[in-house]
Amino acid sequence: SSEKIDLLIYGPARPILENGFSDHFVVHTAETRGDLERLTPAIREKIRGVAVTDHTARVDKDSLSQLPKLELVSSFGVGYDHVDAKYAAERNIIVTNTPDVLTEEVADVAMGLLICTLREFIKADRYVRSGLWQTQNYPLSVGSLRDRKVGIVGMGRIGQAIARRLDASLVPVVYHTRNPSKDVSYKHYPDLIEMAKAVDTLMVIVPGGASTNKMVNAEVLKALGPRGVLVNVARGSVVDEAALVQALKSGTILAAGLDVFAAEPNVPDELKTMQNVVLLPHIGSASVVTRNAMNQLVIDNLKAWFSGKAPLTPVAETPVKSR
Ligand code: NDP
């Protein structure tokens, strides 16, 4: 039919998304929950699709309940712990995310962050800029990739891409997930503490949400030991941040590289004063080329569905709908 489809773009403004829809669509925007509540009931009742612009926009039962005609939530990013996909499924609402298009980019960042943490790139850069190199050579780094064994926490799309990079670097890999992966032949540890005891480096790349909340806790860090290095590119919620600060302060572990934090954009002041941590502002997928691909997939999921096709990348909880 020629009837236009009403869409809502929910979350921090993302003009590239707003401009991505043709004139078959009427695009409304709500940057915050307050904006959503201020839409007139007449508009809310017309909205059939939502594009969620980032993980700071909570798409919970409350916000979904405001949209009675909703058919599909197209969420930006592969992690969708900010979307209540279970409740959406109960209402027969499809949820899609943006897997695959960011996998290699995020794995690059994880690998870079590991090397940067071990070989102290940030401190060494400051050393050059300060002019100290004129007086003496930079001290040898205690950390090195050469003598390490890495335990990857999560062996999905990104975990496997990280493992391939470690293979190329001749670094031994083992992993922890709930179920052994059919895609890899690395040693599987059903128990995270057992794995932490067996390695000296943890790279965390599991989804956020209740099942992984604070799974890297004081006990795991203690098991990792004084040579231990933690790299977290998953979600801040996966690591007990207070326990991590304590472990870094007391020498329970050696160092950490972090792209994600418990209460972003807030980072504990104690971490900011430490020399043995590298802190990134959640930039895992944040390059122009990869963000363009993610935006396009958010758009393409909505366009596919509303042109009568199956959604391209539905999440696991989503009801299987054929057209
Ligand atoms: P996948 O779904 O492909 O892989 C997830 C992996 O985590 C699987 O191996 C799964 O195995 C494991 N896992 C899930 N739950 C648990 C659990 N409770 N305990 C142990 N292992 C678990 O996801 P991707 O690799 O595509 O992405 C992973 C996550 O990375 C995203 O959900 C997102 O949060 C984060 N991310 C961060 C980015 C950043 O900017 N820093 C960018 C992109 C992603 P099993 O089910 O067998 O346990």
Side-chain angles (χ1 to χ4, degrees):
S1 81
S2 61
E3 205 185 307
K4 292 194 177 185
I5 289 153
D6 285 72
L7 297 181
L8 175 69
I9 299 192
Y10 185 44
R14 202 177 280 277
I16 188 171
L17 268 183
E18 285 167 45
N19 298 332
F21 295 98
S22 60
D23 37 344
H24 297 302
F25 296 92
V26 182
V27 174
H28 309 272
T29 60
E31 289 191 27
T32 63
R33 174 73 61 97
D35 293 344
L36 177 64
E37 279 161 10
R38 279 188 291 275
L39 292 175
T40 65
I43 288 178
R44 275 193 251 137
E45 269 163 37
K46 283 196 290 192
I47 287 171
R48 295 170 61 192
V50 173
V52 186
T53 65
D54 85 9
H55 67 277
T56 62
R58 318 298 307 176
V59 187
D60 51 17
K61 199 169 172 173
D62 261 11
S63 38
L64 288 168
S65 304
Q66 317 237 5
L67 306 168
K69 296 272 167 62
L70 188 57
E71 296 168 38
L72 186 143
V73 175
S74 181
S75 182
F76 179 89
V78 66
Y80 55 97
D81 39 311
H82 54 299
V83 179
D84 190 341
K86 233 170 132 185
Y87 171 71
E90 280 168 29
R91 274 193 44 201
N92 235 8
I93 297 167
I94 297 164
V95 176
T96 62
N97 62 346
T98 62
D100 304 317
V101 295
L102 46 56
T103 295
E104 302 301 327
E105 189 81 73
V106 180
D108 290 342
V109 168
M111 192 67 185
L113 185 51
L114 174 62
I115 299 175
C116 184
T117 305
L118 290 166
R119 297 301 317 279
E120 307 175 0
F121 287 171
I122 311 285
K123 267 165 77 184
D125 173 275
R126 272 190 237 119
Y127 193 85
V128 174
R129 290 170 202 254
S130 72
L132 273 171
W133 195 18
Q134 308 298 327
T135 55
Q136 55 182 315
N137 283 330
Y138 187 78
L140 306 184
S141 69
V142 174
S144 167
L145 200 52
R146 291 305 99 213
D147 54 0
R148 294 218 154 241
K149 182 169 179 184
V150 173
I152 303 183
V153 185
M155 192 46 86
R157 289 167 292 240
I158 303 171
Q160 288 172 40
I162 295 172
R164 272 192 277 109
R165 283 158 177 73
L166 291 165
D167 285 348
S169 299
L170 308 178
V171 177
V173 170
V174 298
Y175 73 103
H176 165 72
T177 51
R178 291 167 302 185
N179 313 297
S181 162
K182 290 176 201 77
D183 303 327
V184 299
S185 54
Y186 309 109
K187 182 175 166 65
H188 175 251
Y189 282 86
D191 186 83
L192 177 54
I193 292 180
E194 286 309 311
M195 181 170 84
K197 281 184 190 156
V199 301
D200 47 35
T201 308
L202 287 181
M203 297 186 75
V204 185
I205 189 65
V206 287
S211 86
T212 58
N213 192 46
K214 294 189 181 171
M215 71 189 277
V216 178
N217 56 22
E219 214 183 332
V220 171
L221 296 169
K222 186 158 179 271
L224 194 58
R227 278 172 37 83
V229 172
L230 174 75
V231 170
N232 185 11
V233 289
R235 285 288 182 265
S237 61
V238 180
V239 173
D240 181 340
E241 209 166 65
L244 174 63
V245 167
Q246 194 49 42
L248 287 162
K249 242 175 30 188
S250 61
T252 302
I253 67 167
L254 179 69
L258 307 170
D259 185 43
V260 288
F261 302 88
E264 296 171 12
N266 300 314
V267 174
D269 284 332
E270 280 181 294
L271 284 178
K272 292 186 204 160
T273 64
M274 288 178 190
Q275 293 299 308
N276 54 341
V277 297
V278 176
L279 308 172
L280 300 181
H282 200 150
I283 56 167
S285 67
S287 69
V288 171
V289 61
T290 293
R291 286 292 170 86
N292 281 347
M294 293 163 68
N295 281 315
Q296 195 57 51
L297 189 47
V298 169
I299 293 166
D300 289 347
N301 266 300
L302 284 157
K303 282 189 172 169
W305 177 250
F306 289 110
S307 64
K309 300 185 197 109
L312 303 176
T313 49
V315 304
E317 292 87 341
T318 263
V320 184
K321 278 200 185 183
S322 51
R323 284 273 199 172

